[in-house]
Amino acid sequence: MTVLWTSSAIAKAVQGKASAEFEANGVAFDSREIGPGDLFFALKGEQSDGHLYVDNIYAAGGAGAIVSQPVDGPHILVSDTTKALNQLAIASRARSHAKIIGVTGSVGKTGTKEALFAALNRSSMGKAHRSVKSYNNHVGVPLSLSRMPAECQYGIFEMGMNHPGELAQLTRLVRPDVAIVTAIAPAHVGHFSGEEEIADAKAEIFQGLTKDGTAIIPFDSPHYARLRKAASRYTKNIVSFGFGEQADVRAMDVVPAQGGGSLVTAKLGDRSLCFTISEPGEHWVSNALAILAAVRAVDGDLASAGLALAELEGLDGRGKRHQINLKDGGSNIGQALLIDESYNANPVSMKATLSQLASESCSGKKMVLLGAMGELGDKAQVYHEALAADIIASGAQAIILVGDEMAYTSAQLAKMVSEKLDHTPEISHVAGSSEALAEVIGKISDGDILLIKGSNYLGLSKVVSALVSGEY
């Protein structure tokens, strides 16, 4: 395997001084993630200082460290470690001959990034690279770039933002050959005047496009014209995707696939492709169209992309499905399906997920454990009240709501129930994840489906972990 970085190459890139020669095959800024042969960036933040953990990284087999003060062990001395991380990212991008794809959007970023990686890694025989987890901010993006092997053929990078101007900085580091906007939704709307400003902030991704780069935008979005106008300032190559007849990459036919997911016939310019998506829901069909558009833009293998979509597994916190064993006093009392959407939530992703739940069938009842949606600002009440209709439409018979803002949803649900619905769901509202777990345990039974979704800060992933492990 080719060495990722030599100490001399690092020192040149970050304009630092190496204390000794070493080779690194990984890069990290969290000392807990350091493994043998890794390079450690001792970043200084408001709450922590990476220099305090340098001894730990050497004990774990770390190859060397980027530091702003001398330490005992192989290191490269710089004046500013955060600046050095960006410099190494720039050097990594400069040396690469890979086709680079940048992905942003209010919803679907991580799933789209992972599916693109699966498609391009398959066709390139393991020579694709992507940002891991949700490393999509001012630290995660340069870290992901720094980890990209020089011999890669494809690089896929997720980019996020919650304030204007943030994406512009990230995309100029990534310099994508292809830039995707998955969708626009009122995520982080508390930091913006409305969805139009969110669309403008997402459109900043086009500012980093390479010469003759391609912009991929959602045709069905109400902000399509706005996104297209923004993209046209930086490229003539604009590809739309969606369900509308005028979309460049469009779904002509979508039917349920055996065993879940969708069977899709898509038109890509002058050709058609029939493929299966393992993940259920119309939102995943939309993601798949964007993925195919990107694969085509980098001259990738569409057949491999189709196979990758058919084999794609749900991601933790983003749609992964678990058959969980239910117990009472140590005895098994059946099984239930848990749909884990615990990583995050906004009005659009809530609606899409609840819509999918409505189409699910089960021998028991449908349950939802829903956490409040964060960063909605003065629009929090409106969006949480509107969520009630989507919950009722899902057919949920047991509804557990978590977080302060869910008081609005609970009140609206009570009002709707009083207006004589066809069914009367059981509704409870609790403060946190511990109380939510207790509610689930008291209500769930054999054959049920349980959907768990909410903003990450509520910690609903702990409920998922407890139910999957059976440790409750």
Side-chain angles (χ1 to χ4, degrees), residues 133-167:
K133 301 181 182 178
S134 287
Y135 281 3
N136 61 18
N137 63 8
H138 66 287
V139 176
V141 170
L143 177 73
S144 298
L145 276 166
S146 299
R147 289 172 165 178
M148 181 168 62
E151 65 272 19
C152 268
Q153 293 181 13
Y154 302 102
I156 308 100
F157 298 92
E158 179 181 339
M159 289 178 267
M161 63 88 212
N162 53 26
H163 290 88
E166 291 179 341
L167 209 52

Side-chain angles (χ1 to χ4, degrees), residues 24-251:
N25 287 309
V27 184
F29 59 78
D30 187 335
S31 61
R32 294 166 297 184
E33 295 182 357
I34 285 288
D38 286 349
L39 173 70
F40 175 65
F41 272 87
L43 302 182
K44 290 185 177 181
E46 294 180 4
Q47 304 297 327
S48 63
D49 182 350
H51 292 83
L52 299 174
Y53 306 99
V54 170
D55 288 345
N56 295 347
I57 73 102
Y58 292 128
I66 306 289
V67 294
S68 57
Q69 59 196 51
V71 295
D72 293 330
H75 65 271
I76 293 174
L77 189 63
V78 298
S79 59
D80 184 329
T81 54
T82 299
K83 180 182 177 182
L85 178 59
N86 280 278
Q87 289 173 319
L88 191 62
I90 291 168
S92 180
R93 180 64 181 91
R95 74 181 183 179
S96 178
H97 298 289
K99 291 288 186 181
I100 303 297
I101 302 172
V103 183
T104 194
S106 302
V107 291
K109 293 187 296 294
T110 302
T112 297
K113 177 256 297 181
E114 289 294 326
L116 268 170
F117 170 75
L120 295 171
N121 201 48
R122 175 191 286 265
S123 61
S124 66
M125 305 292 287
K127 291 190 176 180
H129 171 79
R130 93 292 206 185
S131 47
V132 298
K133 301 181 182 178
S134 287
Y135 281 3
N136 61 18
N137 63 8
H138 66 287
V139 176
V141 170
L143 177 73
S144 298
L145 276 166
S146 299
R147 289 172 165 178
M148 181 168 62
E151 65 272 19
C152 268
Q153 293 181 13
Y154 302 102
I156 308 100
F157 298 92
E158 179 181 339
M159 289 178 267
M161 63 88 212
N162 53 26
H163 290 88
E166 291 179 341
L167 209 52
Q169 296 178 21
L170 298 179
T171 192
R172 289 190 177 106
L173 279 178
V174 175
R175 291 194 295 115
D177 299 297
V178 176
I180 302 172
V181 176
T182 58
I184 302 298
H188 313 299
V189 73
H191 302 298
F192 298 90
S193 64
E195 282 193 24
E196 291 80 6
E197 276 199 2
I198 294 174
D200 291 341
K202 295 297 184 184
E204 291 173 11
I205 193 173
F206 305 132
Q207 295 179 23
L209 277 170
T210 55
K211 183 182 178 182
D212 301 322
T214 300
I216 297 176
I217 57 178
F219 181 82
D220 304 312
S221 170
H223 308 288
Y224 169 71
R226 197 179 193 96
L227 291 169
R228 190 174 189 94
K229 183 178 179 181
S232 67
R233 298 188 187 108
Y234 303 97
T235 183
K236 295 179 180 178
N237 303 319
I238 302 174
V239 178
S240 62
F241 67 92
F243 299 88
E245 289 189 7
Q246 301 304 311
D248 298 313
V249 177
R250 67 184 179 93

Side-chain angles (χ1 to χ4, degrees), residues 315-374:
L315 306 175
D316 289 336
R318 295 180 174 86
K320 191 165 185 176
R321 296 180 169 223
H322 303 270
Q323 284 291 338
I324 59 173
N325 293 315
L326 307 178
K327 60 184 183 180
D328 183 10
S331 300
N332 259 342
I333 57 172
Q335 285 193 325
L337 173 63
L338 188 159
I339 303 173
D340 176 15
E341 288 275 0
S342 62
Y343 182 77
N344 222 335
N346 61 54
V348 170
S349 66
M350 277 285 202
K351 188 178 188 71
T353 306
L354 288 165
S355 176
Q356 176 56 36
L357 181 64
S359 68
E360 301 276 355
S361 59
C362 63
S363 59
K365 64 182 176 296
K366 294 180 182 179
M367 299 178 60
V368 292
L369 168 54
L370 303 177
M373 300 176 286

